[in-house]
């Protein structure tokens, strides 16, 4: 077979999780929580499973969920949306990103990606016939706006940003958003895909969203995730927000990819978001971040700032000279802890000897992992 994705193999997430199982290591690699979901969600799911909601949902989403999302966005961002025309429920954020790129990118058009970048962006661009243009972030994971402005041109159809940023945990500040608004103003045909799946998992710094800026609202597809927000990654439900003109094109593709998303889960989420305060999520994960940092204080790893997400990046230069992929493999086999090497998030596999840990785990798991890592 002639592959359509010659650079793509098994993802690093699947590889490291498989190794963790094989060597019975503690898995701090893949980004999923290992603690129970809110019992209220389980009760609502059980209740809704006995209701008459088992047939196809409307293509864009159950009206009650679309209205609930619109109400939540207004509470958080003071942005008014038309639930029927500006919101789309998707089978996870990854499907939403791929669908948006399929709808908006034509063969030969360029899509700018900031590295290190989540690994679903580049393949989705290629499948859409686009050309992925990778710009590296600075070593402190800030954006080089001068290089970005020099890169964006008439062929650039889409700019993808990820804020809060996976894998680094970096959050864009007001100056970043001022620069972003200027780039969008200078290129009236440019569309922004703003991946904000960790929007509610922020710590000391304020989260700036594309929802906050009128020029971005009118030219953006904003990606959100119930899986990340409510520790329900296995449910694979997310949603997109975009102006009607853009959303019409996205819906055309969506209806022939999945048509509609799990109806029982949609009804459950609609019931849940009406009574849940998502603004408490940052404090919950900040406590976990601080706990993990305290437990690791005697280790030889160098902590890098984690301003959002549930990931902590660390340098290991004082521990080993191994390339990051080999170092992570060594840790699984010899130390019994799995992490993710950051080089896999770069198109050129740039290796700064940095690895990523997921701290969305129980205290017991974090304690056991830290005890092993502090022995290195």
């Amino acid at each position: 077979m002639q592959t359509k994705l010659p650079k793509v193999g098994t993802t690093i997430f699947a590889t490291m999780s498989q190794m963790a199982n094989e060597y019975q290591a503690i898995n701090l690699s893949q980004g999923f929580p290992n603690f129970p979901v809110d019992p209220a969600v389980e009760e609502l799911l059980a209740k809704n499973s006995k209701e008459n909601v088992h047939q196809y949902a409307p293509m864009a989403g159950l009206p009650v969920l679309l209205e609930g999302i619109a109400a939540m966005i207004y509470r958080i961002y003071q942005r008014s949306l038309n639930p029927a025309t500006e919101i789309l429920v998707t089978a996870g954020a990854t499907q939403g990103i791929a669908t948006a790129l399929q709808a908006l990118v034509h063969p030969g058009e360029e899509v700018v990606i900031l590295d290190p970048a989540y690994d679903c962006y580049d393949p989705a661009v290629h499948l859409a016939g686009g050309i992925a243009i990778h710009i590296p972030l600075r070593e402190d994971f800030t954006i080089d706006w001068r290089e970005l402005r020099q890169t964006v041109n008439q062929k650039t159809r889409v700019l993808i940003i990820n804020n809060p940023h996976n894998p680094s945990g970096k959050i864009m500040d007001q100056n970043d958003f001022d620069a972003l608004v200027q780039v969008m103003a200078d290129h009236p045909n440019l569309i922004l895909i703003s991946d904000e799946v960790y929007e509610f998992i922020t710590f000391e710094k304020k989260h700036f969203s594309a929802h906050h800026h009128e020029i971005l609202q009118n030219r953006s597809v904003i990606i959100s995730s119930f899986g990340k927000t409510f520790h329900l990654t296995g449910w694979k439900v997310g949603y997109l927000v975009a102006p009607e003109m853009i959303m019409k094109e996205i819906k055309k593709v969506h209806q022939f990819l999945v048509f509609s998303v799990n109806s029982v889960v949609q009804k459950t989420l609609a019931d849940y978001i009406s009574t849940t305060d998502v603004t408490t999520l940052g404090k919950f994960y900040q406590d976990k971040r601080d706990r993990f940092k305290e437990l690791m204080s005697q280790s030889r790893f160098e902590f890098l700032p984690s301003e959002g997400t549930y990931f902590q990046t660390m340098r290991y230069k004082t521990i080993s000279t191994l390339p990051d992929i080999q170092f992570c493999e060594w840790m699984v086999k010899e130390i019994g802890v799995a992490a993710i090497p950051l080089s896999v998030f770069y198109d050129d596999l740039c290796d700064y000897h940095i690895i990523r840990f997921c701290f969305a785990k129980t205290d017991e798991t974090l304690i056991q992992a830290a005890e092993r890592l502090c022995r290195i």
Side-chain angles (χ1 to χ4, degrees), residues 286-348:
Q286 184 173 338
D287 289 344
K288 286 196 171 293
R289 180 204 64 177
D290 294 346
R291 178 69 170 141
F292 186 49
K293 188 172 184 178
E294 177 189 2
L295 291 167
M296 290 285 290
S297 61
Q298 300 303 311
S299 77
R300 293 197 289 157
F301 289 92
E302 176 191 349
F303 274 72
L304 302 179
S306 174
E307 300 169 348
T309 75
Y310 41 57
F311 301 118
Q312 175 66 62
T313 53
M314 297 186 190
R315 277 198 185 90
Y316 63 88
K317 283 184 177 180
T318 62
I319 298 173
S320 173
T321 59
L322 285 173
D324 60 1
I325 295 175
Q326 293 180 29
F327 181 73
C328 285
E329 292 172 346
W330 173 82
M331 279 208 316
V332 171
K333 296 175 182 178
E334 303 298 330
I335 308 302
V337 178
I340 294 290
L342 248 66
S343 65
V344 300
F345 295 94
Y346 289 87
D347 184 56
D348 62 0

Side-chain angles (χ1 to χ4, degrees), residues 114-116 135-148 161-163 165 168-173 175-176 179 205 304-305 307 315 346 352:
L114 304 177
D115 283 356
I135 299 177
L137 298 174
R138 299 187 182 100
E139 195 168 348
D140 64 354
F141 303 114
T142 57
I143 298 170
D144 186 334
W145 289 103
R146 180 180 179 182
E147 183 175 0
L148 192 148
I161 64 169
N162 179 202
N163 182 51
H165 183 254
S168 74
K170 191 74 175 176
I171 293 180
M172 294 170 64
D173 61 22
N175 291 333
D176 289 314
K205 293 179 67 173
L304 302 179
E307 300 169 348
R315 277 198 185 90
Y346 289 87
Y352 290 109

